[in-house]
Amino acid sequence: MNVALLQQLAAQSQISHSPPENWQQKLQDLLSCEVRLDEPLRRYSWMKVGGNADALVAPDHIEELQKILKFASENHLHWMVLGFGSNVLIKDGGIRGIVIRLHKLFQQFDILEEDDTTCYVKVGAAYPLPKLVDWAKEKGCQNIEVLYGIPATLGGALWMNAGTRAGEIEQFVESITVLRAEGGFKDYPKEKLDFSYRHLKFPGKGLITACQLKFVKTDPEKVKEKVQGYQLKRQSTQPLDQPSLGSIFKNPPQAFAAQMIDEIGLKGVRVGGARISEKHANFIVNENNASAKDVLTLISLMKDKVKEHFDERLELEIKVVGEDV
């Protein structure tokens, strides 16, 4: 096959897989739910950084959500779900395609079965994790303290396998329900789920809509005491009064990212409006209208210096999405 023909086929492929120029208006005409075009995503970021989304949609019933996924597939558009935006760094160029917020859907909380020792619940993916933790604390659910203080939806917590070294959300999971990208719902039992450090993988593609959880009950006062201990520790060691994304890096095996960053003297280093927290070296805070570029510059500095001093390659815990300006 000659080069000219290869170039022609490549050009045709690119054209056929490009969304139509007026897709945003078509999406708006298709849906009856809230659709915001060129929406600033810093409004939805825990750290208050990020560029615009081509389209941000908030479906208020399942049929609208299914229309969105079908429209995205037919028009070759990227889509993603954004929950609390607490562990996602959105680049300054924003996100091309469709950003979906599910706060008007999947807020259900149902107790399926309960006795003196065990409780089974089914919870929607958009249900706030702090609200779930408060309920579980009052019930006396063992080990729920490992999820205390994490500002996330349940769906986001599942995707990240949120938790601490003392435990992660996977220990409570019985099954998850997924709306598949090709349509229809599917339940995945825990044995079909691949949980790892700050990550969840399941067969196929789709978005999480609900999760069935199992809690083992104990004395509620003991649980409340443990949660209070976690609360005091977070308040004393983390910059909770400033916009951040939580821990930037995963902890390497047998080490702590914050300790290494602290030991090489990077606490308090500032780039633009972003600063490495003086309270917790694995946090970057938005001190003065920071850009995502400011944050990424600090991340690169931290990674480079830790590699230079400790020969340790830090791995991001946060997710970085979007495009540069």
Side-chain angles (χ1 to χ4, degrees), residues 10-21 23 72 74-77:
Q12 290 174 346
S13 175
Q14 290 175 357
I15 292 172
S16 65
H17 288 85
S18 298
E21 290 185 3
W23 71 263
E74 292 175 346
N75 290 278
H76 310 291
L77 289 161

Side-chain angles (χ1 to χ4, degrees), residues 109 111 114 119-121 123 127 129-141 144 215 217:
F109 180 94
I111 297 176
E114 183 178 12
C119 186
Y120 293 87
V121 297
V123 186
Y127 198 83
L129 185 65
K131 191 174 178 180
L132 174 63
V133 172
D134 283 343
W135 171 87
K137 176 187 68 176
E138 295 299 322
K139 283 284 185 180
C141 297
I144 198 64
F215 296 109
K217 294 160 70 175

